[in-house]
Amino acid sequence: AQSVAQPEDQVNVAEGNPLTVKCTYSVSGNPYLFWYVQYPNRGLQFLLKYITGDNLVKGSYGFEAEFNKSQTSFHLKKPSALVSDSALYFCAVREGYGGATNKLIFGTGTLLAVQP
Amino acid sequence: DAGVIQSPRHEVTEMGQEVTLRCKPISGHDYLFWYRQTMMRGLELLIYFNNNVPIDDSGMPEDRFSAKMPNASFSTLKIQPSEPRDSAVYFCASALTETDTQYFGPGTRLTVL
C-alpha cells in the first residue's frame, strides 16, 4: 500500500535562511508526488509536483523539491525563507497511471514557522 | 476561473440534524473529490466522482454519509443524522484527470454540538 511520511511536525527557521521540509514515500510503482501549502482557515494550495523528468522540480513562491528515487524522498526546499512562508505543508503521493490504487495519500503535515 | 467553490464556509448544528455541504468544481474538470480534515486523522479522502459518477466511496465513514453529483457543476455531501465526532473541515477538490493536480476549495468548517 502506498504511504507518505513527514517526519517533522514542525520546522523552525530564521527569515533569510534556507529551509527544508522532509517527505518520504512508499509506492509499488512509479510515484506521482505533490506538495501543497495550507494557510490558516484556508484550503490547500498546490505548490509543485513531480510526475517524470528532471528530478528537481520548481514551483510557486520560490519553492522547489528534489525527487530522489533511491532514498524514496521528495523534500521541499527554499533558498531563503520569508515570514510569509509560515504555514502548514503537506506532501502527497499516488501511484502513477495504471497503478493499483487511484487515491492521493497525504502526509500528516509539517508546520513551518519562520522567525523574523 | 473562480476556483473550487464551497458553501457554507462555516456550519454549526446540533447532534441529530441533517447537514448538507455543497461544492462547485472548476469548470471542465471531470474529477471531484471530497476530503475530511481532522487533527486526529489528518486529511482523508471520503469519495470521488468521475463525470458525475461515484468511483470510490470506500472512505465514507458510515451510512450516515452520502454524496451526490447531479451534474458536472455541483456536488453535495450530506450527513444525516450528524454527530459531534463529525466535526471537521470538509474540503472539495477537482481535477482535469485522475492523475492531474487536484485544486482545493476553501473548505467548510462543520461543528456538531
Side-chain angles (χ1 to χ4, degrees):
Chain A
Q2 62 191 63
S3 65
V4 60
Q6 294 182 244
E8 301 156 317
D9 290 336
Q10 182 163 339
V11 169
N12 298 305
V13 63
E15 187 173 32
N17 283 0
L19 70 88
T20 299
V21 182
K22 296 179 180 177
C23 172
T24 58
Y25 66 90
S26 175
V27 296
S28 57
N30 293 320
Y32 287 10
L33 294 154
F34 301 80
W35 275 102
Y36 286 83
V37 59
Q38 185 178 27
Y39 297 98
N41 301 314
R42 303 284 296 275
L44 277 71
Q45 295 180 32
F46 169 72
L47 275 179
L48 52 80
K49 66 181 178 183
Y50 171 83
I51 303 297
T52 186
D54 194 348
N55 289 344
L56 185 63
V57 179
K58 294 187 182 297
S60 306
Y61 312 121
F63 284 92
E64 58 188 28
E66 186 168 12
F67 170 63
N68 188 318
K69 188 172 184 178
S70 62
Q71 297 186 5
T72 62
S73 67
F74 190 57
H75 301 332
L76 181 70
K77 300 182 179 183
K78 187 173 182 180
S80 179
L82 299 173
V83 173
S84 58
D85 293 330
S86 299
L88 188 58
Y89 289 79
F90 290 94
C91 182
V93 66
R94 59 159 290 144
E95 290 185 356
Y97 184 78
T101 179
N102 302 318
K103 295 181 180 180
L104 186 62
I105 303 299
F106 285 85
T108 51
T110 297
L111 183 64
L112 174 66
V114 182
Q115 284 87 35
Chain B
D1 199 311
V4 176
I5 299 172
Q6 290 186 248
S7 65
R9 293 294 309 275
H10 302 274
E11 177 80 37
V12 180
T13 190
E14 294 187 345
M15 183 174 63
Q17 297 298 306
E18 177 179 295
V19 175
T20 299
L21 311 181
R22 297 172 176 81
C23 174
K24 176 179 169 57
I26 294 172
S27 177
H29 283 191
D30 289 337
Y31 285 81
L32 184 140
F33 306 81
W34 281 101
Y35 290 88
R36 179 172 66 176
Q37 185 180 36
T38 62
M39 289 292 293
M40 291 297 294
R41 300 174 68 90
L43 266 166
E44 303 173 277
L45 177 65
L46 299 178
I47 185 172
Y48 77 95
F49 296 82
N50 175 27
N51 290 324
N52 315 335
V53 177
I55 302 300
D56 186 341
D57 66 354
S58 59
M60 296 286 261
E62 47 197 277
D63 292 344
R64 298 184 297 106
F65 286 69
S66 63
K68 295 182 180 179
M69 193 165 184
N71 58 62
S73 59
F74 183 66
S75 177
T76 59
L77 178 68
K78 185 176 294 185
I79 308 173
Q80 166 62 18
S82 58
E83 296 182 2
R85 60 193 168 118
D86 301 331
S87 298
V89 181
Y90 291 82
F91 289 105
C92 177
S94 70
L96 273 171
T97 69
E98 193 169 45
T99 57
D100 204 358
T101 302
Q102 294 181 22
Y103 294 91
F104 283 73
T108 295
R109 182 175 296 277
L110 173 65
T111 302
V112 184
L113 303 173

